[in-house]
Amino acid sequence: MRIKNIKYQFFLFLFFVGTTIFSQNINLKVVGNAEQGFNVDIYSGNQLLVHNSEEFSLKAANLDLSETTEIPAWKGSEWTGNENLVKLSRETYLSDFDLNLSITVTYEVINQQVIKKSVDLFQSGMPTLYFTIKETSKPAETPLKYVTFEHDNFPGGFSHEMYPSAGFVTPNNLLVGFLMDAGYKNHYTRTTRRRFNGHGGGFVGMRKLPDPELVSVATLAERAIGKEYIQQTFGEMFNLDTGNDIILKLDNPYKKVGNVDIERQSELITLNCEPSNRSGIEFLTPFTDQKIYTVSFLAKGNSPIAVKLFRNKNGLKTVELEHGIKYIDQFPINENEWTLFKGSIMVPYIEHDSVTMFVGSQSGKKCTIQIKDLQIVEHQPEKQPYNKMNMGEKATITTYIFVEPWKNHHDFVISSQTRLAEGKGFQGTLIEKMLYANFNMLTWITSINDFTPFNVPNMNYAPDMYNRDSFFSIVSSYNEELNLKIWEQWAKTQNNKGAIATIITPYMGAIEAKDNEATIQFLIWAMMNKRRFGVTLPKEKIDKAVSYVLNEFDENKDGICESHFTLSQVDIIKYDPKTDRLAVNQGMFAIALRTIKELGYEISEAYIEKAEIAYRNFYDIQRKHLLFDKDFPDVISLTDLEPEFFALWLFNSPMLTDEMVINHLEQIPVLNKMSNSPHSEYGTTAPVCIRLTDDEKGYAYLSPEYQPFMEFGEINYKDGARDGFYYNGGSWMRPEYCAYVVGQKHGWKKAKALMENRAWAEINLNPNWPYSKEFIPTKWTTTDSWWPSTRGLSWNVFILMANEVAGFRTPEMDPDFKK
C-alpha cells in the first residue's frame, strides 16, 4: 500500500510540475566570416537543426511612406559569446534616410529545450521610422512535416490561429518549434476585425489589417522546389484600400432559406419573408483559404438584415467563419432609401472547406427586403510597415525556439505553451505555465497607431478588451508596465459619475459603464498597484470612483448593497429596479469598503461590519448554503464564494465561518468523473450555477420554470437545450478553483484534491483542446458539442493568485516580481 502511494505521489509530481526528460545538448554555433558576415546555427548535440542564410530581413519607411529601404539579409559584422550565449552586431548606414542604424542579435540558451532570440534596433537620427522585420528559420534537413497550434500537418501559407506557434519535425523525429513574445512587447496585434458601425452589432473585417502573416510556413509549391522555412513577420500591415482588386463572378445559384418568396430582376433581389426563424437566401461563395475579400451590397426594407458566413465540410454546415463578418444579426436598414453594407473578411487556412453566405431576416416577422449590387472582391493588398523605431529608443523583437522529441500534436500544443513560459523565465506547474503563456499571447497592442498594451479574453472576443476580464488577467502578473498602463486605460474610461466602463474596443466607441463590479475592481487594482509598485495614482480618478461606489451601491448608507447588475461574471440580466437579493453583490460591496479604507478614505469599521454581517446573512441555516438569489433559494453558485476569496487574498481576513464555507462546498455537485483523473473518486468539474433538489440525484439544471435569469432563462433553458452549458451548469475554472482555495483556507479536506482534478480537466478532459477554456460543459456526450468560441480564455491565469493564497506558489516565481 505504501509503495502504491509513493508511485501515485510521483505521478502527481510529474503531472503538475510538467517535467520533461530530454538529455540532448542544445547549443549554438557561429558560422560565416568577417567578409560575408556572421550568423548562428542551432544544434542538438552534434545534429544541425536550423541553418539560416541570414538572421532577418528588414523593410523601413518614413512616416508618409514616401521613402522606403530594405536590408534583405542581415548578418553580424562581429560577434562574441559561446555555445550558450552569442551576440552578433553591426552598424548599418541607411543612405536613403541618411541614418545610422545599430543592430544587435542575441541568442541565449535558457534551458536544454529553449533558446531565446532578441533583435535590438536603435537609431538616434530620425524622429520615427516605420519598419517590418521578418525572421526566416530554415530546417537543416527536409522536414517530415510542419505543424501549427491547430493543425498536425500544415500545408503552408500564413497561419492565423488561436495561438501563434509553428514547428517542423526532423527526419529523426525531433520537434523544432518557434514561438514569440507577447504582442505588447513585439508590437503586434492579432486583431482581424472591428465592431460594426451604428447599432447593428457584430463585426466586420478591418481595412488596414495588421500582422496577418505573423506566422507563415513554406507552401507545398515552395517545398517542391526546395524552399523550406518557418517565418515570423512583425509590424506588417495589409492595406485593403490599396493594391489590386479582383471582382469575382457569383455564378452559384441562390438557395431559399425559410419561408420566403424570392423575386429577381437583373441585380435586384426582393425577399418577401414570412414569419420563420431565418428567411432569406443562401449561396456558395468563391472564398478559398488564405485570401482576403470584401462583401458589399445595397439594401432597403422593413426588417434588419442578417449576414452570416459558415464553413461547409463534405456538404455539411459547421462553424461560423471567424475573421471578419460575424454576428451580423440585425444590420439596420431603411424602408425608403438604400443602405450600404460593406465588410471585409480574412479567410485563414480552413482545410479547403467551402463557405456559404446567408443574407436575409432573422426577426421571425413578416417583412420585405430588397438587395442589389451584391459583390465580392478579392484583394491583393499592398503590404506596408507599421512598427515604429523611435529616435533614441531601443526597439526589440523577441522570439523563442524550442527542441524536444516529437510525440504527437497534442503534446506540441502543450509544449507551445509551457516552453514559452520557460523562455520568459516563469516558474510553475504545468497548468500554471500553460495559462501564463496563453495570457501573454492574448496581450498585444491596441492598434497599429496605439502601442498601449491591450488584453482580450480570447480570440472569439477580439478585438474587444472586456475590462473585468482583463482585471483578473493582468493583476495575476507582477509586470509593472502591464498593471499600470492597462489600469490607466481603465481610468480614461471613467464617466462623469465615476463609473468605469465595461469594455474598450479599438476602432469604435463604447458607452457601456454601469453598476457592475468594474469600478470596485478599479479600486482594488489601484490598491494592489500601490502595494506592489509604490506608485502615486491620480487622486481625482480614485476620488470619483470611491464616490460612485459608495453612492451607487448603498444610497441609504445602511450597509446593504443594491445594484442593477450582478457584481460577478454572471452578467446576463439587468435588475430594474435595483436588487439587494444577490449574495455576491453584498460580499463584493464589503470588499469595496475595506479597499476604500486602505486607500485612505474615512470608512468606519462599524460600517464595514454591517456590510460583512449582511453578506453572512445570505447563509441559509436550513439549506446550509449561501443564497445566490433570495427569490430562488434552491439555486447555489460558486461565485458566491468569490468575495470570501477576495477577503483572504487582499486582507487575509475571512468574512465567512468554516461551517458556512464547508457546508456550501459540500452541496456543489462535482461532475465529469474520470477514471484517469488524479483523484478518480471525485468528479473533475463543478457547475458554476445549479439548482439543488431533494431527490436522490441532489441537483437539477435550470429550467424556464425555475431559474433566476428572467427572459434569458425562459428563452435558452427550454427542453434541456443548454443543460450543462454556459450559466446553466457550465464549469468556469477561475471561480471554481478560487472557491476550492477558499475551502482549503477554511479547512475543507477535499479542497486540494478538487483543485488538482480541475487543473487536470482543463488540460485533459477534451484531449483535442489541451489549453484554457471559457467554460467546460458538465453534461455532454461528445466533445464535438463543446463551443469552439470558448477556447483560450485569458482570465484563468488568475489561478496564479489562487495558488499564492493556497500557499502553493510564491511571487518570486513570476519573472517580473521585484522585491
Side-chain angles (χ1 to χ4, degrees):
M1 187 69 176
R2 175 175 169 78
I3 293 174
K4 181 180 179 181
N5 189 48
I6 291 172
K7 286 182 178 179
Y8 183 67
Q9 290 178 357
F10 180 66
F11 160 76
L12 286 184
F13 171 78
L14 289 178
F15 175 75
F16 284 98
V17 176
T19 302
T20 299
I21 300 171
F22 177 51
S23 60
Q24 293 287 344
N25 178 30
I26 295 181
N27 58 92
L28 311 170
K29 183 178 180 181
V30 177
V31 295
N33 53 51
E35 182 178 343
Q36 296 177 337
F38 300 101
N39 63 289
V40 172
D41 283 347
I42 297 174
Y43 283 79
S44 174
N46 295 320
Q47 181 186 351
L48 178 61
L49 298 176
V50 180
H51 180 57
N52 294 335
S53 54
E54 74 278 338
E55 289 302 328
F56 63 84
S57 63
L58 183 142
K59 180 180 180 180
N62 57 0
L63 288 185
D64 67 355
L65 303 178
S66 61
E67 295 290 343
T68 62
T69 193
E70 291 188 43
I71 302 175
W74 187 92
K75 293 184 178 184
S77 61
E78 54 187 59
W79 70 277
T80 61
N82 53 48
E83 64 179 10
N84 293 315
L85 179 66
V86 171
K87 288 193 175 185
L88 310 170
S89 59
R90 180 185 289 271
E91 299 290 323
T92 302
Y93 175 66
L94 303 179
S95 60
D96 290 325
F97 297 122
D98 191 22
L99 181 70
N100 287 321
L101 181 60
S102 299
I103 303 175
T104 302
V105 173
T106 303
Y107 284 84
E108 180 183 1
V109 175
I110 301 297
N111 59 35
Q112 285 306 298
Q113 286 76 44
V114 182
I115 295 169
K116 177 181 179 181
K117 178 183 178 182
S118 299
V119 179
D120 294 324
L121 310 167
F122 181 85
Q123 60 88 12
S124 57
M126 190 172 179
T128 299
L129 189 68
Y130 283 139
F131 74 95
T132 293
I133 191 167
K134 294 179 183 287
E135 295 187 37
T136 304
S137 300
K138 300 176 181 178
E141 300 178 87
T142 302
L144 296 179
K145 64 177 177 179
Y146 291 89
V147 293
T148 60
F149 198 79
E150 295 184 29
H151 297 285
D152 189 20
N153 193 353
F154 191 69
F158 70 80
S159 164
H160 201 286
E161 301 175 359
M162 60 178 291
Y163 187 102
S165 70
F168 62 81
V169 181
T170 69
N172 66 335
N173 266 350
L174 278 184
L175 167 67
V176 183
F178 296 86
L179 309 169
M180 62 188 64
D181 211 342
Y184 76 93
K185 287 183 173 290
N186 278 357
H187 292 169
Y188 62 81
T189 169
R190 306 196 64 227
T191 296
T192 60
R193 60 197 185 194
R194 64 166 175 83
R195 287 193 171 230
F196 205 61
N197 58 300
H199 301 285
F203 299 111
V204 293
M206 298 157 61
R207 305 304 298 174
K208 293 184 177 180
L209 184 62
D211 304 297
E213 295 184 341
L214 188 64
V215 178
S216 56
V217 172
T219 65
L220 295 177
E222 288 174 317
R223 295 181 218 175
I225 59 174
K227 289 186 177 180
E228 306 279 352
Y229 64 85
I230 289 175
Q231 187 169 268
Q232 295 161 299
T233 302
F234 302 98
E236 183 175 74
M237 176 186 71
F238 284 17
N239 190 338
L240 274 58
D241 295 321
T242 60
N244 298 318
D245 293 339
I246 304 169
I247 299 175
L248 302 178
K249 290 183 178 181
L250 301 179
D251 294 330
N252 293 305
Y254 300 123
K255 175 185 175 183
K256 185 170 74 170
V257 177
N259 192 355
V260 60
D261 181 57
I262 303 172
E263 301 174 23
R264 181 164 186 175
Q265 287 181 303
S266 186
E267 296 301 313
L268 177 65
I269 303 169
T270 301
L271 307 176
N272 297 303
C273 303
E274 296 296 328
S276 61
N277 290 335
R278 180 175 288 180
S279 302
I281 57 172
E282 188 173 73
F283 61 95
L284 190 65
T285 70
F287 291 174
T288 57
D289 297 62
Q290 298 163 316
K291 292 184 179 179
I292 299 164
Y293 303 91
T294 290
V295 174
S296 63
F297 56 82
L298 292 168
K300 66 179 179 180
N302 57 5
S303 172
I305 281 186
V307 182
K308 316 292 286 184
L309 293 166
F310 291 97
R311 290 173 58 174
N312 290 258
K313 185 180 291 292
N314 300 323
L316 298 176
K317 186 181 295 183
T318 57
V319 296
E320 195 170 351
L321 203 57
E322 290 288 331
H323 302 288
I325 296 170
K326 192 176 181 187
Y327 302 129
I328 303 290
D329 298 315
Q330 297 188 66
F331 174 68
I333 59 175
N334 192 291
E335 194 167 359
N336 300 313
E337 57 186 61
W338 294 102
T339 301
L340 174 66
F341 176 90
K342 184 177 181 180
S344 62
I345 179 163
M346 183 191 78
V347 181
Y349 174 60
I350 56 172
E351 300 173 294
H352 307 301
D353 288 357
S354 58
V355 177
T356 56
M357 182 165 78
F358 167 83
V359 180
S361 171
Q362 295 184 153
S363 67
K365 300 176 182 178
K366 184 174 182 176
C367 62
T368 298
I369 295 171
Q370 290 188 304
I371 299 165
K372 72 174 183 177
D373 299 337
L374 177 61
Q375 185 180 84
I376 296 180
V377 171
E378 180 184 324
H379 297 285
Q380 296 172 344
E382 182 179 356
K383 299 179 181 181
Q384 299 172 342
Y386 79 83
N387 206 342
K388 292 180 181 178
M389 209 186 304
N390 294 323
M391 184 165 61
E393 299 176 7
K394 182 174 69 174
T396 300
I397 300 295
T398 303
T399 54
Y400 301 89
I401 305 100
F402 69 95
V403 181
E404 61 187 46
W406 168 256
K407 295 180 182 176
N408 51 51
H409 185 258
H410 172 275
D411 285 11
F412 167 72
V413 171
I414 291 177
S415 293
S416 293
Q417 299 165 84
T418 59
R419 299 309 183 194
L420 177 62
E422 292 168 6
K424 290 179 66 65
F426 178 87
Q427 300 175 52
T429 63
L430 181 68
I431 187 65
E432 289 172 342
K433 289 178 182 178
M434 293 170 69
L435 295 175
Y436 178 79
N438 179 68
F439 149 67
N440 272 272
M441 291 299 96
L442 289 168
T443 309
W444 49 62
I445 59 173
T446 301
S447 73
I448 58 173
N449 299 311
D450 183 355
F451 288 2
T452 308
F454 195 84
N455 173 258
V456 302
N458 64 14
M459 292 294 286
N460 180 66
Y461 285 92
D464 300 337
M465 179 164 73
Y466 285 81
N467 284 343
R468 296 171 300 157
D469 296 17
S470 68
F471 165 80
F472 286 109
S473 300
I474 308 301
V475 81
S476 303
S477 165
Y478 288 88
N479 184 304
E480 184 172 355
E481 176 190 9
L482 278 183
N483 276 276
L484 296 184
K485 286 190 175 180
I486 294 188
W487 185 89
E488 289 167 2
Q489 290 296 90
W490 279 40
K492 293 173 186 176
T493 73
Q494 190 175 53
N495 66 14
N496 291 333
K497 292 178 66 177
I500 297 299
T502 300
I503 189 172
I504 299 174
T505 180
Y507 303 101
M508 295 299 290
I511 59 173
E512 186 179 313
K514 56 192 183 184
D515 50 330
N516 57 22
E517 73 273 30
T519 309
I520 293 175
Q521 289 177 342
F522 177 73
L523 293 173
I524 293 171
W525 203 350
M527 178 181 71
M528 296 296 289
N529 285 339
K530 291 181 71 173
R531 285 182 185 177
R532 288 173 168 180
F533 312 121
V535 294
T536 300
L537 300 173
K539 186 175 185 300
E540 69 279 5
K541 293 287 187 181
I542 298 176
D543 284 347
K544 287 181 69 173
V546 167
S547 176
Y548 176 81
V549 168
L550 294 177
N551 293 312
E552 186 68 28
F553 296 121
D554 187 13
E555 185 179 359
N556 300 323
K557 301 296 182 285
D558 57 3
I560 304 300
C561 179
E562 294 182 304
S563 177
H564 291 105
F565 298 93
T566 176
L567 304 186
S568 76
Q569 69 177 72
V570 190
D571 57 356
I572 51 180
I573 59 170
K574 179 180 180 180
Y575 301 89
D576 201 0
K578 291 181 179 181
T579 187
D580 61 0
R581 305 194 319 255
L582 306 181
V584 70
N585 284 19
Q586 187 60 45
M588 287 307 298
F589 181 65
I591 294 299
L593 293 180
R594 198 162 288 285
T595 300
I596 290 168
K597 182 172 184 177
E598 180 170 322
L599 286 170
Y601 296 84
E602 191 171 333
I603 300 289
S604 71
E605 279 295 328
Y607 185 28
I608 296 173
E609 182 62 19
K610 277 185 181 180
E612 290 184 350
I613 289 172
Y615 176 47
R616 284 192 289 274
N617 285 343
F618 274 86
Y619 181 78
D620 187 301
I621 297 174
Q622 280 73 41
R623 288 180 169 83
K624 295 186 177 181
H625 68 85
L626 294 164
L627 299 181
F628 173 78
D629 182 328
K630 288 180 179 178
D631 283 1
F632 296 89
D634 296 332
V635 173
I636 188 171
S637 175
L638 287 165
T639 60
D640 293 332
L641 292 178
E642 190 166 283
E644 181 70 354
F645 177 86
F646 274 78
L648 297 168
W649 172 45
L650 300 174
F651 306 111
N652 195 27
S653 177
M655 294 188 291
L656 303 177
T657 67
D658 293 349
E659 180 184 20
M660 292 175 180
V661 169
I662 293 172
N663 285 344
H664 186 93
L665 286 168
E666 282 288 345
Q667 294 194 77
I668 300 284
V670 187
L671 310 174
N672 288 333
K673 185 179 285 190
M674 304 296 289
S675 61
N676 57 337
S677 64
H679 302 275
S680 57
E681 68 274 25
Y682 299 128
T684 59
T685 57
V688 76
C689 187
I690 201 82
R691 180 184 180 181
L692 298 179
T693 59
D694 291 330
D695 57 16
E696 184 179 350
K697 188 176 181 182
Y699 72 91
Y701 293 106
L702 305 180
S703 66
E705 295 72 35
Y706 195 93
Q707 49 81 23
F709 303 132
M710 294 188 279
E711 185 179 1
F712 179 90
E714 292 171 7
I715 294 171
N716 288 284
Y717 297 162
K718 293 177 181 177
D719 304 319
R722 283 201 182 182
D723 286 359
F725 281 76
Y726 203 56
Y727 289 120
N728 191 6
S731 169
W732 303 68
M733 184 181 193
R734 181 192 59 79
E736 183 177 345
Y737 198 91
C738 289
Y740 295 153
V741 172
V742 169
Q744 187 229 24
K745 298 295 285 186
H746 280 276
W748 192 42
K749 294 180 180 180
K750 296 179 184 177
K752 189 171 184 295
L754 289 177
M755 290 166 68
E756 291 172 352
N757 266 14
R758 189 58 184 80
W760 179 92
E762 198 69 14
I763 303 171
N764 296 291
L765 197 58
N766 183 341
N768 295 318
W769 292 5
Y771 37 71
S772 178
K773 288 162 279 289
E774 184 172 359
F775 72 86
I776 289 176
T778 57
K779 181 183 178 183
W780 47 280
T781 54
T782 169
T783 54
D784 291 341
S785 66
W786 292 27
W787 295 358
S789 61
T790 65
R791 302 180 303 166
L793 192 76
S794 179
W795 79 356
N796 283 338
V797 73
F798 190 71
I799 74 160
L800 299 182
M801 293 298 100
N803 282 339
E804 281 193 22
V805 174
F808 298 158
R809 65 178 287 115
T810 62
E812 291 81 3
M813 298 169 75
D814 187 309
D816 293 306
F817 177 76
K818 299 173 185 176
K819 291 186 179 179

